Amino acid sequence: MWPDNEPSLLDRESLDALNERFRESDRAAGIELTPAFRPFTQRNDIFTRAFWDDTVRSAKTDAFFASYRSQFDARKGDGFSQRDFALRNASWSVSSAFSERCAEDGRREGFQAPLDVDVAVSDTRVELADPQAESVEIKRIATLFGADLVSIAEVDLRWHYASRVDTRDMSPADNALPEGVTHVIVMGHAMDADLVETYPSALAGASTGLEYSREAAIVTQLVSYLRGLGFEAVGSMNDTALVIPYALKAGLGEYGRNQMVLTPEFGPRVRFSKVFTNLPLQADTPRSLGIRAYCDTCDVCARACPPKALPDGPPTDVPVNVSTLRGVKKWSANAEKCFGYWASLKTDCAICMRVCPFNRGQTLADRLWFALATGRFRRLARWWADRRGVAKRLKPVDWWARLRAGRRG
Ligand code: SF4
Ligand code: SF4
């Protein structure tokens, strides 16, 4: 048992064995655990705390969640009109349909429970090629379904929630995967660049909702395919396990000061989903991209954060509050301050994504900057980034004007 008697999928002996087994790949992924590490309990996630913890829950946080249904409070500010909220909520609607359909059973799919895919595992197993060939093929299938990035990691219970949450009463619920599941397919979903430029606004929240809705469909399709092949598959969005360590271990990017995975393709402008399976696959390896080292020289996101929720110093394992993953030396946000700001806006904020210099386009200048930022000349890249200035917010009214002129994207 853990010192505070929280339930866990792992006892100390199993945890030590995983630490030993993954020591090298943790190091390669930039993951530094301390003896204080223990798996995260989903009940302490800031979004879950907003339902049971009176130090987080308030009329404002209740109104925040209600605004994602029809009780939004359109207001005069640019980006918070009825059209902005309507577009945001419509973008979320597919994901919301998934998360609400089993709510009566206490399973908010995609957030506090895996996606419930109504396809049984086929009694017949397909004849397999070798794991490497299967891995190449499954990545192509995931891309066919719409994933923008796909990579594979080994299942590692250290990143799985010690317990998930029964949303009827927020009590701990079992979070075990089916027996024999060995790999996780991690998928990246690029967010719309123009919409992200409009953060903070209700309009910008459409960029998040769109990807959650797409994720729900893509994950469901991939799970159905794997089960059709005769293999177990569990589809997951924010539920079941922390996706950031998996994305790092799968080599999709590096961890940034803004608490996001910074990818070479899209910078931080990407969301992740995952599918756990027992299909024999070959895991990818972490990549040394030089992105994280740039964060050591930069604090643009921390300076731009309105409630000052991001750290400006070096990584540390000192927990900010109960929502911090314990025993990992990393940059950790103050989730209470961050979510408090979201609640006051009545929409999500991703200013720290918008302003990150890795959230760039693909012009020649952008590619040259990336090469400098990830190599020996990162200080020159920093100077150049400062000269270019922090990415300005696109006014929501201008986004709508572009849309109406047919010039979007
Ligand atoms: S999402 Fe907004 S409030 Fe939260 S850390 Fe980023 S900039 Fe700060
Ligand atoms: S803004 Fe700078 S410090 Fe923040 S994540 Fe991006 S590169 Fe790293």
Side-chain angles (χ1 to χ4, degrees):
M1 257 327 170
W2 299 97
D4 55 4
N5 289 337
E6 282 175 1
S8 177
L9 296 172
L10 288 174
D11 56 23
R12 172 60 68 184
E13 207 178 318
S14 314
L15 174 60
D16 289 345
L18 288 174
N19 285 342
E20 191 52 40
R21 176 176 159 203
F22 289 115
R23 188 178 305 284
E24 263 314 296
S25 65
D26 283 355
R27 193 196 50 72
I31 297 172
E32 195 176 338
L33 301 189
T34 73
F37 174 80
R38 65 171 192 260
F40 192 72
T41 300
Q42 193 179 19
R43 196 164 179 268
N44 290 332
D45 174 88
I46 194 71
F47 301 104
T48 308
R49 285 175 68 201
F51 289 95
W52 65 266
D53 184 343
D54 289 340
T55 66
V56 175
R57 187 174 188 180
S58 66
K60 269 189 182 171
T61 61
D62 286 353
F64 167 85
F65 290 116
S67 82
Y68 281 80
R69 294 184 285 279
S70 48
Q71 298 100 310
F72 54 79
D73 223 355
R75 46 194 193 269
K76 283 221 171 78
D78 185 20
F80 296 90
S81 71
Q82 183 164 358
R83 281 185 201 274
D84 296 308
F85 276 105
L87 187 71
R88 182 197 71 176
N89 291 3
S91 301
W92 272 96
S93 59
V94 176
S95 168
S96 301
F98 275 79
S99 61
E100 280 160 29
R101 65 185 178 170
C102 292
E104 281 185 4
D105 302 335
R107 290 185 299 112
R108 217 173 138 251
E109 289 175 46
F111 296 90
Q112 279 99 357
L115 296 180
D116 199 2
V117 179
D118 189 21
V119 174
V121 176
S122 169
D123 292 338
T124 317
R125 275 196 174 174
V126 74
E127 197 177 316
L128 290 178
D130 65 82
Q132 189 187 5
E134 290 297 341
S135 299
V136 170
E137 185 159 310
I138 201 71
K139 288 177 189 177
R140 290 183 180 153
I141 297 287
T143 304
L144 170 73
F145 289 143
D148 294 303
L149 303 172
V150 194
S151 210
I152 296 167
E154 287 180 70
V155 165
D156 179 347
L157 292 184
R158 295 176 301 169
W159 316 130
H160 290 233
Y161 295 131
S163 56
R164 61 174 189 85
V165 175
D166 181 325
T167 52
R168 285 170 297 193
D169 58 3
M170 296 292 145
S171 60
D174 181 46
N175 191 35
L177 287 176
E179 195 76 16
V181 166
T182 53
H183 287 82
V184 53
I185 301 161
V186 186
M187 292 180 281
H189 311 274
M191 295 164 70
D192 183 278
D194 287 357
L195 283 170
V196 167
E197 262 186 84
T198 70
Y199 270 110
S201 63
L203 172 67
S207 66
T208 303
L210 275 171
E211 294 324 311
Y212 274 111
S213 287
R214 286 190 183 128
E215 279 176 41
I218 294 167
V219 165
T220 300
Q221 288 162 331
L222 193 61
V223 167
S224 303
Y225 176 68
L226 288 161
R227 291 185 183 175
L229 297 183
F231 290 87
E232 189 54 79
V234 177
S236 170
M237 290 167 38
N238 287 7
D239 56 277
T240 307
L242 300 168
V243 78
I244 286 180
Y246 272 134
L248 300 176
K249 298 300 279 283
L252 289 175
E254 292 187 346
Y255 188 71
R257 185 186 296 280
N258 59 1
Q259 291 215 121
M260 295 170 189
V261 176
L262 307 184
T263 64
E265 296 84 358
F266 308 108
R269 195 171 40 78
V270 60
R271 313 206 70 82
F272 295 99
S273 63
K274 47 206 182 296
V275 172
F276 299 96
T277 183
N278 59 356
L279 177 75
L281 293 171
Q282 180 172 300
D284 292 293
T285 51
R287 283 188 292 168
S288 180
L289 299 160
I291 297 177
R292 188 207 157 284
Y294 185 86
C295 289
D296 289 329
T297 75
C298 176
D299 62 357
V300 164
C301 51
R303 279 190 282 124
C305 172
K308 299 292 167 235
L310 290 172
D312 54 8
T316 160
D317 65 342
V318 178
V320 182
N321 53 46
V322 73
S323 291
T324 311
L325 175 64
R326 300 293 163 110
V328 184
K329 196 169 171 197
K330 66 183 186 73
W331 286 298
S332 296
N334 185 325
E336 292 174 6
K337 283 188 183 178
C338 173
F339 184 60
Y341 182 66
W342 292 27
S344 66
L345 286 178
K346 292 209 183 54
T347 194
D348 62 323
C349 163
I351 294 172
C352 51
M353 175 188 290
R354 169 170 66 79
V355 300
C356 176
F358 286 99
N359 173 29
R360 67 198 194 288
Q362 285 299 329
T363 64
L364 188 59
D366 293 328
R367 292 205 299 271
L368 178 58
W369 181 84
F370 182 85
L372 293 172
T374 53
R376 297 171 43 215
F377 299 108
R378 65 178 58 90
R379 291 205 175 269
L380 177 60
R382 176 69 210 274
W383 174 83
W384 189 8
D386 286 348
R387 293 266 302 182
R388 286 172 118 187
V390 171
K392 295 255 182 318
R393 176 178 184 251
L394 172 65
K395 287 183 188 165
V397 69
D398 291 339
W399 182 91
W400 282 104
R402 280 188 195 177
L403 177 93
R404 286 174 187 135
R407 287 191 288 108
R408 225 191 59 73

